[in-house]
Amino acid sequence: MDRAAFVAEQQRLLQLERQAELAEAERLLRTRSDAELAARGTTLLRLVVADLEPGFGGRLCAVLQPSRQGPLPAHRFAPGDVVALRESREGAPVATAVVLRTRAESLTLALDDEDVDLPPLLRLDRLATDVTYRRLGDALRALLRDRTGDDGRYLDTMFGAREPRFADRPSDAEIRFCDPNLDPAQRAAVAHALRAEPVALIHGPPGTGKTTAVVELIRQAVLRGERVLATAPSNVAVDNLAERLAAAGLSVVRLGHPARVAAAVRDVSLAALVDQAPEQKLLRTVRREVEQGLRAVHKARSRAERATARAEVRQLRTELRQLEGALTRGFVDAADVVLATLVGAADPLLDALTFDRVVVDEAAQALEAACWIPLQRARRITLAGDHCQLPPTLHSEAAAQGGLATTLFERLAAGQQGPLVTRMLTRQYRMHTAIMGWSAQRFYAGRLEAAPQVAGHRLCDLPGVTTTEWTEAPLCFVDTAGTGFEESVGDDDGSKHNPGEAELVAKLVAALRSAGVAATDIAVVTPYNAQVQALRLLLAHEAGLEIGTIDGLQGREKEAVVLSLVRSNERGEVGFLAELRRLNVALTRARRHLCVVGDSATLAHHPELLGLCEHLMAHGWHRSAFELG
């Protein structure tokens, strides 16, 4: 593969994606009223600055409250969201910021500009930021630099111009594994990754303990004296790794904005480590002086007073950054494992550092350009993921079709060297054998096996759950063909919903609940947002029941899953259902009970979906919706 042509095409596709993201944000602002945007939870109106305070790194933080005393209205702003502050709907943003904290009566924002003057009355809009795209572009441009020696051989291998190399040692029989419970496939994958020069792939189908293997690999690398940069595309995945590595006793540092770090790993976040350092007394003194200076800026009555106060704050901030910089560098340098999101690996703290190994978990959900941000920091890499599940979510269909949705993991696995660099995990620890059947055959060449402890488990085996026809059956198919449960187009952006099917799903949930299955053990999933909203209205009384899209459940599991396929029409149109990787995710979230609800007459128009229907009827408990009333 020609590297220059690849970079040029990726840059073009990223530009298409950026334009689509901006167009969608602009469309909402243009076509929705302020009241509608506020109702969607993406806009807050008539906010005032209640306070200014210093954050980590001397960043200016603003506390916003409603202009009328009382709690904030319902909204969808969460820590880590990028937002724009405006005086009015038509005005350009006066500032951009990251949500730091949310409380019932206030939002705390970390502002990107430390010298901004905030007006007395503000509106807040969720924003499509361009920071990520700049970092992706920088990573791609770095691939074009002339490389020789190890650098050149590394890139030649990654782009198919050179065969990968593997050391003779160690074999999996010669490794003292830290986790004695690893199965043979996990052990083989770890040993393979340790030998690989420069790249190895760990292919982890659903429930096969992929992250367990990744944690073992990192522990083995540290035992060999390696420094590791561990990354993933999402904060959730990074936090999961950080929690498990810290529990294993490794010295870890989690980089990233404090607002985006989970509470479970906050103690190993860089901000917390700095906060707990012995030098913190001096830092607190300087922060207090910065805070007093910020309040002086906020209260200044003249431009001259504001300028003087701001100059003093700027000097104090410089001192604060220097102190924090020395501390942070020390923590990062001392860590065995540094953790960050893929985009977060562009942190300037890492600029002068090289690592012995970079590990990317959930690599099959990441844009290839994003993977190249951390991959520049080491010449030995391991990618872990499953390209048979959902690829990255994109706004631009043209960019996706053009190849932006093809991840580095998928490209390498599907390439000529794929069999050489890839090891697949083959024992799954989640699903009853009947639940995994279709996916195992369709996506994993029949190589998956269920671990003995899960192969036959059912809902009726759970404490407090009675034995019924539903709790005994691990796999069910409720066919709505001929019932007249036709799909409809929802009011929200043309999303589909099926009212009759939604009511049927509510009955199925009621049957599980009556048998004693806890609401927290059940998930109701569907490909369509409009169906999610319809189901939430019908099942609002079921506290703890999770209802959401298939995409939102990727990487997670429940004891019971009810899947609503929605599509039912005379034209045989199946829409999202034709994306079989999405179906693979949906069908592999359940541990003990999977119930699929759909119209076999519509599904039969698609060969693969017809095959799914035939599999469900042959291997599951098949009922017609007519029988359920």
Side-chain angles (χ1 to χ4, degrees):
M1 178 184 296
D2 181 75
R3 223 186 310 153
F6 170 82
V7 169
E9 181 63 5
Q10 287 282 303
Q11 289 173 326
R12 184 185 73 83
L13 296 173
L14 283 172
Q15 185 62 27
L16 286 178
E17 173 64 11
R18 175 61 174 156
Q19 290 168 354
E21 186 177 0
L22 290 172
E24 174 62 12
E26 177 61 30
R27 185 188 69 79
L28 289 175
L29 280 175
R30 187 179 65 253
T31 61
R32 308 285 184 176
S33 67
D34 280 353
E36 288 174 312
L37 292 172
R40 290 169 65 93
T42 58
T43 293
L44 286 171
L45 305 169
R46 302 188 64 80
L47 301 175
V48 296
V49 180
D51 200 3
L52 294 172
E53 58 188 40
F56 181 70
R59 179 174 285 197
L60 175 62
C61 295
V63 181
L64 304 185
Q65 294 178 344
S67 58
R68 296 177 179 176
Q69 294 298 316
L72 290 164
H75 62 81
R76 294 167 59 190
F77 292 95
D81 283 349
V82 180
V83 297
L85 293 87
R86 292 185 173 90
E87 284 192 83
S88 66
R89 181 187 181 98
E90 293 76 23
V94 295
T96 57
V98 173
V99 177
L100 189 63
R101 290 189 300 275
T102 62
R103 291 178 177 160
E105 71 289 345
S106 68
L107 286 174
T108 302
L109 311 179
L111 300 175
D112 292 327
D113 185 353
E114 60 188 43
D115 289 329
V116 65
D117 283 324
L118 296 177
L121 200 62
L122 291 160
R123 66 177 282 148
L124 203 64
D125 295 301
R126 287 176 73 179
L127 192 66
T129 177
D130 63 349
V131 173
T132 296
Y133 289 93
R134 289 202 302 270
R135 291 180 174 180
L136 296 178
D138 289 344
L140 288 172
R141 283 188 289 275
L143 295 177
L144 296 177
R145 297 174 191 152
D146 290 334
R147 308 290 181 96
T148 58
D150 288 344
D151 279 3
R153 286 189 288 272
Y154 165 67
L155 287 178
D156 284 348
T157 303
M158 297 298 288
F159 285 92
R162 184 184 293 268
E163 288 283 314
R165 295 178 291 117
F166 299 91
D168 293 333
R169 296 284 190 274
S171 70
D172 52 340
E174 297 168 324
I175 298 173
R176 291 188 60 186
F177 289 98
C178 302
D179 184 347
N181 298 315
L182 294 178
D183 63 48
Q186 290 172 323
R187 291 172 179 243
V190 171
H192 173 72
L194 290 171
R195 292 194 299 267
E197 301 284 351
V199 60
L201 273 58
I202 298 177
H203 180 195
T208 54
K210 169 182 58 62
T211 302
T212 298
V214 169
V215 168
E216 179 70 32
L217 169 66
I218 294 171
R219 294 175 73 180
Q220 291 293 331
V222 170
L223 285 173
R224 285 161 174 71
E226 296 183 15
R227 291 197 70 211
V228 179
L229 174 60
T231 64
S234 71
N235 283 289
V236 171
V238 174
D239 289 338
N240 183 35
L241 270 179
E243 185 174 7
R244 296 177 67 168
L245 291 168
L250 273 64
S251 171
V252 305
V253 173
R254 164 69 159 100
L255 302 187
H257 197 293
R260 296 186 173 105
V261 177
V265 294
R266 208 156 282 158
D267 286 347
V268 297
S269 70
L270 187 57
L273 293 170
V274 169
D275 195 49
Q276 296 160 10
E279 298 86 349
Q280 188 55 231
K281 184 176 180 180
L282 176 58
L283 286 172
R284 284 198 191 98
T285 300
V286 180
R287 280 202 192 99
R288 192 160 43 247
E289 292 174 354
V290 171
E291 187 173 351
Q292 293 168 352
L294 289 170
R295 286 178 178 149
V297 172
H298 189 48
K299 294 176 181 177
R301 297 185 177 182
S302 69
R303 182 173 296 177
E305 286 181 14
R306 188 177 296 112
T308 300
R310 184 169 284 151
E312 292 175 357
V313 168
R314 193 176 294 117
Q315 183 176 349
L316 287 167
R317 276 209 190 100
T318 300
E319 181 181 348
L320 183 61
R321 287 196 183 101
Q322 289 172 344
L323 288 169
E324 288 181 338
L327 270 178
T328 54
R329 174 64 66 192
F331 285 122
V332 170
D333 287 346
D336 295 326
V337 185
V338 177
L339 296 110
T341 62
L342 296 173
V343 174
D347 193 310
L349 269 172
L350 304 182
D351 282 349
L353 295 180
T354 57
F355 293 84
D356 299 295
R357 182 181 302 270
V358 168
V359 175
V360 182
D361 197 10
E362 305 295 357
Q365 295 178 42
L367 294 176
E368 171 155 355
C371 288
W372 281 108
I373 296 174
L375 294 191
Q376 298 174 73
R377 306 197 184 281
R379 295 297 171 262
R380 188 180 295 117
I381 66 173
T382 304
L383 307 177
D386 180 15
H387 53 298
C388 300
Q389 296 187 59
L390 284 171
T393 300
L394 297 174
H395 293 81
S396 169
E397 183 64 25
Q401 293 296 324
L404 194 61
T406 301
T407 64
L408 175 61
F409 188 100
E410 183 178 6
R411 177 169 71 78
L412 293 176
Q416 187 174 1
Q417 299 172 0
L420 288 175
V421 299
T422 307
R423 292 294 181 271
M424 190 175 97
L425 307 181
T426 54
R427 181 175 295 177
Q428 65 86 12
Y429 300 87
R430 175 186 300 163
M431 295 165 277
H432 188 288
T433 301
I435 295 174
M436 78 172 194
W438 184 77
S439 290
Q441 294 299 324
R442 174 60 183 78
F443 292 99
Y444 307 111
R447 295 175 60 194
L448 284 190
E449 61 172 350
Q453 60 266 40
V454 304
H457 64 181
R458 301 168 301 168
L459 283 178
C460 58
D461 299 328
L462 291 172
V465 176
T466 58
T467 300
T468 70
E469 55 190 6
W470 295 105
T471 61
E472 273 193 308
L475 183 64
C476 305
F477 178 47
V478 179
D479 191 354
T480 65
T483 60
F485 291 172
E486 291 285 317
E487 67 188 54
S488 301
V489 179
D491 295 330
D492 186 10
D493 302 326
S495 183
K496 303 289 191 300
H497 68 111
N498 190 318
E501 186 170 298
E503 291 180 5
L504 177 59
V505 167
K507 290 180 182 179
L508 298 174
V509 171
L512 295 177
R513 295 286 289 118
S514 296
V517 183
T520 52
D521 284 337
I522 304 171
V524 178
V525 296
T526 178
Y528 293 96
N529 284 316
Q531 186 78 340
V532 169
Q533 299 307 317
L535 289 163
R536 285 177 178 169
L537 288 173
L538 287 170
L539 294 164
H541 59 285
E542 290 287 3
L545 176 71
E546 182 168 355
I547 305 170
T549 61
I550 295 168
D551 304 47
L553 204 62
Q554 178 153 312
R556 300 171 53 227
E557 61 184 48
K558 288 283 186 176
E559 298 292 351
V561 171
V562 181
L563 170 61
S564 172
L565 297 179
V566 177
R567 301 311 297 262
S568 179
N569 56 75
E570 295 181 353
R571 303 174 302 280
E573 295 176 355
V574 296
F576 282 155
L577 304 184
E579 171 51 89
L580 297 182
R581 288 183 293 183
R582 179 172 276 106
L583 266 185
N584 185 33
V585 171
L587 296 170
T588 55
R589 300 306 98 195
R591 288 173 48 77
R592 300 168 185 264
H593 175 85
L594 170 66
C595 183
V596 180
V597 183
D599 181 349
S600 63
T602 298
L603 300 175
H605 286 78
H606 188 284
E608 294 278 7
L609 298 179
L610 173 61
L612 172 62
C613 289
E614 291 172 344
H615 176 90
L616 293 172
M617 292 176 185
H619 300 280
W621 186 45
H622 177 216
R623 297 289 299 273
S624 168
F626 284 115
E627 302 174 54
L628 305 178

